[in-house]
């Protein structure tokens, strides 16, 4: 494990520990969560500091539905 990755995981695990009220005996759980978060950031091609996440699979914007012929004027009545 690189030093930068280890440092990031260590800081994140500590932050998780603090967020959860500094519970005793859950350090391995916090470490696993930090590793999972780091792995997710790496899979999404995020910047090293996690400020920017570039998701690989973004939903495509939906195209507006085109109006059908005759939508403006009603069809002529045969009479």
């Amino acid at each position: 494990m690189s030093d930068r990755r280890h440092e990031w995981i260590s800081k994140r695990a500590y932050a998780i520990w603090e967020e959860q009220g500094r519970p005793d005996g859950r350090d391995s759980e916090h470490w696993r969560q930090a590793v999972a978060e780091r792995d997710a950031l790496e899979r999404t091609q995020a910047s090293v500091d996690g400020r920017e996440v570039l998701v690989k699979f973004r939903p495509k914007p939906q195209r507006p539905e085109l109006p059908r012929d005759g939508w403006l004027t009603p069809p002529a009545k045969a009479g």
Side-chain angles (χ1 to χ4, degrees), residues 6 23 29 34 36 51 53 55 63 70-71 75:
H6 187 272
E29 178 185 329
R51 290 183 185 173
V53 176
V55 179
R63 290 181 160 179
W71 70 274

Side-chain angles (χ1 to χ4, degrees), residues 34-49:
V35 168
E37 289 178 15
R38 178 61 187 223
D39 289 345
L41 287 173
E42 289 172 356
R43 278 193 311 272
T44 58
Q45 299 178 4
S47 59
V48 174
D49 60 8

Side-chain angles (χ1 to χ4, degrees), residues 3-78:
D3 289 340
R4 292 179 79 186
R5 177 181 164 85
H6 187 272
E7 181 181 355
W8 189 96
I9 292 169
S10 177
K11 287 180 180 180
R12 181 61 187 134
Y14 185 84
I16 293 167
W17 175 69
E18 285 189 321
E19 290 169 5
Q20 293 186 358
R22 300 179 176 189
D24 289 332
R26 295 180 53 199
D27 53 333
S28 62
E29 178 185 329
H30 299 148
W31 186 268
R32 283 192 306 270
Q33 182 180 342
V35 168
E37 289 178 15
R38 178 61 187 223
D39 289 345
L41 287 173
E42 289 172 356
R43 278 193 311 272
T44 58
Q45 299 178 4
S47 59
V48 174
D49 60 8
R51 290 183 185 173
E52 157 189 16
V53 176
L54 304 174
V55 179
K56 288 182 181 178
F57 302 104
R58 292 187 180 143
K60 293 182 181 179
Q62 293 183 347
R63 290 181 160 179
E65 185 177 332
L66 297 175
R68 296 181 183 155
D69 290 338
W71 70 274
L72 186 56
T73 55
K77 293 183 179 179

